[in-house]
Amino acid sequence: MIHDQARYAREEGSVREPLLSEKGEATVDVTASSPLPDDLTRDELTLPDVSEPEIARHYTRLSQMNWAIDSGPYPLGSCTMKYNPKFTEDIAADPNAAVHPDRPDRTLQGNLELQHRLQGFLADIGGMDAVTLQPPAGAAGEFTGILIAKAYHERHGNDRSEVVIPASAHGTNFATAALAGYDVVELPSGEDGRVDFEALEAAVGDDTAALMLTNPNTVGLFERDIEAIADLVHDAGGLLYYDGANLNALLGRGRPGDMGFDVMHYNVHKTFATPHGGGGPGAGPVGVTDELAPFLPGPRVRESETGSGYERFTPSESIGKVHGFEGNWQVLIKAYAYIARLGDEGLSDAAAKAVLNANYLAERIDLDVPFEPFHHEFAATAGDRDAADIAKRMLDFGVHPPTTKWPEMVPEAMLTEPTEIESRSSLDDLAAAFNAAYADDDESLETAPNRTAAARIDQADAARNPRLSWQALDEDA
Ligand SMILES: *Cc1c(COP(=O)(O)O)cnc(C)c1O
């Protein structure tokens, strides 16, 4: 079944929803007695003159112009856009969580205990020995992890200059290595889409500080030679970094630590809970082996040395802070709540369903999927059609499209990750939208989307000439 999205009347390419202040303004007297000095107060305030229902409708309309996981499937590959159970929001909003982090440890025991348990959950899930919760995103976790690797090598009087990264890796891997001062050695993919072992042997040597790997990789393929890869890098004195963005495929079934990885990040907003996208807050805790634990950022949380309760501490050779306090605390609460609710069985069931859903959807679409068998996401190819056109047309059919044109090793890629949350019928809807868009005529594709709040946007122009302040359409130059 394909949904008709036509809900909006467009004007000049986008829906006209006036600002509240454009609906009328009222000046309110605010001279009520104030304890503040006169130069810090004002007498009058101009506010929109609208009733409560008008406000509710205004914001509801605005929210409906945007796509959200709460409005339908959101199979954006690599991003793992999951529905976020609402109970995690309730728990993060508990007033007991909203305490100032500068308070003394003895007054924050409940919060510290939760952090300590979360460090333990994540260490267990990843097969790591120690965890910091501080980095505020996956990319920040990568940067933290590579700085830790650098500190480790320097500590051992072992200056190394290179980080090896497969061509199929996420752009943040390359940025991380460069920002940490390393030369990037890019590794071509083998014909089967995995690491080309011979190319890796040639790339790894005395200068290798680390190999950064995503496993399963960005087309959903698990590295078959992971143990041989780990031995090769370790024998050369390098470290193995695990990009945890695809951990959803492995939860409760495989652990990066057991595969030989030394340091990893967790994108808790992808694998566990927290709405993300559009740059919303996430968290990127980092796990390491015992050998690397002294270099972690502080504060971390441990059981108190006096034997009762919990305390914060900074590891002995810490690389320093990468964010304030213990990171994005409320995001971490949601991750904790999600893991605690699902438990071991629930987590490994989520991984199984994520893999099943990706494989079911791939069977139902008419596009080719070059690399098989894959895990929790797949890169279909639009062949001689434009992946971006198909994606725009899918919006008209009431689903969010997949990630397009990445990774580059698949031509006109449509990287699709339905995640474990979709039912069979919503996967069927998604496949119907895929197939209808893929089979559509050129003109419909080139002008799509036609039924959304905004028409096709000139993305290059929007990026180069952003309009950073509000202008009503009729005032436009
Ligand atoms: C999302 C992602 C990242 C970066 O994570 P953020 O939390 O968005 O900073 C890194 N690697 C891969 C493979 C990703 O999908």
Side-chain angles (χ1 to χ4, degrees):
M1 184 182 70
I2 292 174
H3 301 282
D4 187 343
Q5 274 294 97
R7 283 192 286 213
Y8 313 101
R10 275 204 205 133
E11 198 180 285
E12 298 186 31
S14 59
V15 171
R16 178 96 178 97
E17 174 65 21
L19 295 182
L20 288 177
S21 57
E22 288 177 300
K23 298 185 181 209
E25 289 184 341
T27 302
V28 188
D29 182 3
V30 288
T31 41
S33 71
S34 160
L36 294 173
D38 281 350
D39 58 345
L40 293 180
T41 62
R42 51 184 164 180
D43 311 333
E44 289 183 342
L45 199 56
T46 306
L47 293 172
D49 188 17
V50 285
S51 65
E52 183 174 317
E54 283 174 291
I55 294 174
R57 287 174 186 162
H58 171 72
Y59 286 111
T60 302
R61 278 199 294 267
L62 285 181
S63 75
Q64 287 173 340
M65 289 180 198
N66 218 338
W67 193 260
I69 192 74
D70 287 3
S71 30
Y74 208 136
L76 206 55
S78 216
C79 297
T80 313
M81 303 297 280
K82 289 188 189 182
Y83 171 80
N84 297 278
K86 301 300 175 237
F87 83 93
T88 64
E89 298 291 337
D90 290 343
I91 291 173
D94 187 311
N96 291 313
V99 291
H100 198 286
D102 258 340
R103 273 171 43 173
D105 288 357
R106 70 185 155 72
T107 72
L108 293 175
Q109 285 298 301
N111 295 16
L112 295 183
E113 181 175 355
L114 191 153
Q115 290 175 23
H116 188 258
R117 285 201 212 170
L118 180 58
Q119 288 173 184
F121 282 171
L122 294 175
D124 281 351
I125 288 168
M128 293 284 144
D129 297 319
V131 169
T132 170
L133 303 177
Q134 198 174 62
E142 284 173 37
F143 185 55
T144 306
I146 291 299
L147 288 185
I148 289 170
K150 189 173 192 174
Y152 168 84
H153 288 307
E154 282 170 4
R155 179 81 179 75
H156 291 87
N158 200 349
D159 254 344
R160 290 175 170 239
S161 58
E162 293 174 353
V163 170
V164 182
I165 306 174
S168 62
H170 197 262
T172 49
N173 289 192
F174 303 94
T176 284
L179 207 60
Y182 285 111
D183 297 329
V184 173
V185 179
E186 188 173 313
L187 205 60
S189 301
E191 262 173 27
D192 65 351
R194 298 180 172 84
V195 165
D196 178 337
F197 196 75
E198 276 176 26
L200 183 68
E201 276 180 317
V204 168
D206 293 346
D207 277 331
T208 306
L211 166 68
M212 298 181 82
L213 267 192
T214 310
N215 197 27
N217 72 10
T218 55
V219 287
L221 300 174
F222 193 83
E223 294 298 344
R224 291 207 182 95
D225 300 325
I226 189 62
E227 285 180 325
I229 292 171
D231 287 346
L232 177 69
V233 174
H234 287 150
D235 289 347
L239 295 172
L240 220 61
Y241 185 91
Y242 182 85
D243 179 330
N246 289 344
L247 194 61
N248 210 37
L250 290 187
L251 280 175
R253 290 165 186 271
R255 308 196 309 166
D258 299 337
M259 298 168 202
F261 287 93
D262 305 287
V263 45
M264 68 177 288
H265 75 260
Y266 309 75
N267 304 63
V268 297
H269 44 286
K270 294 180 181 175
T271 311
F272 306 115
T274 277
H276 68 111
V286 167
V288 295
T289 57
D290 271 333
E291 251 185 336
L292 299 178
F295 304 101
L296 284 169
R300 299 181 53 230
V301 179
R302 66 183 173 202
E303 280 179 61
S304 167
E305 292 196 319
T306 59
S308 71
Y310 299 89
E311 65 185 13
R312 287 178 279 195
F313 75 106
T314 296
S316 56
E317 296 178 74
S318 175
I319 59 162
K321 281 180 191 294
V322 295
H323 197 65
F325 302 100
E326 292 95 271
N328 280 341
W329 168 223
Q330 276 160 322
V331 173
L332 297 166
I333 298 174
K334 289 179 219 177
Y336 174 83
Y338 181 91
I339 296 169
R341 173 69 65 92
L342 263 67
D344 291 347
E345 262 179 54
L347 292 177
S348 70
D349 188 49
K353 288 189 174 129
V355 173
L356 177 65
N357 280 359
N359 283 269
Y360 178 78
L361 181 61
E363 277 297 313
R364 304 288 314 235
I365 62 170
D366 298 335
L367 290 76
D368 262 357
V369 180
F371 295 113
E372 286 185 285
F374 45 81
H375 278 243
H376 66 301
E377 64 186 341
F378 60 85
T381 175
D384 55 8
R385 311 218 73 183
D386 187 314
D389 285 348
I390 295 172
K392 296 292 181 199
R393 189 70 176 129
M394 286 175 78
L395 290 168
D396 282 337
F397 299 140
V399 299
H400 194 284
T403 298
T404 52
K405 308 208 183 210
W406 188 81
E408 281 150 17
M409 66 205 239
V410 174
E412 297 300 323
M414 304 197 76
L415 183 64
T416 311
E417 182 177 6
T419 83
E420 72 278 13
I421 65 160
E422 300 303 342
S423 65
R424 182 165 172 179
S425 75
S426 78
L427 293 171
D428 290 341
D429 287 354
L430 202 47
F434 242 118
N435 294 338
Y438 185 53
D440 218 343
D441 57 84
D442 289 341
E443 200 197 320
S444 306
L445 288 189
E446 280 159 22
T447 56
N450 297 306
R451 301 173 185 171
T452 52
R456 185 165 308 203
I457 288 161
D458 181 341
Q459 291 173 335
D461 189 50
R464 287 184 194 132
N465 306 303
R467 224 194 275 158
L468 298 174
S469 64
W470 169 260
Q471 258 182 318
L473 281 178
D474 43 18
E475 291 166 21
D476 268 0

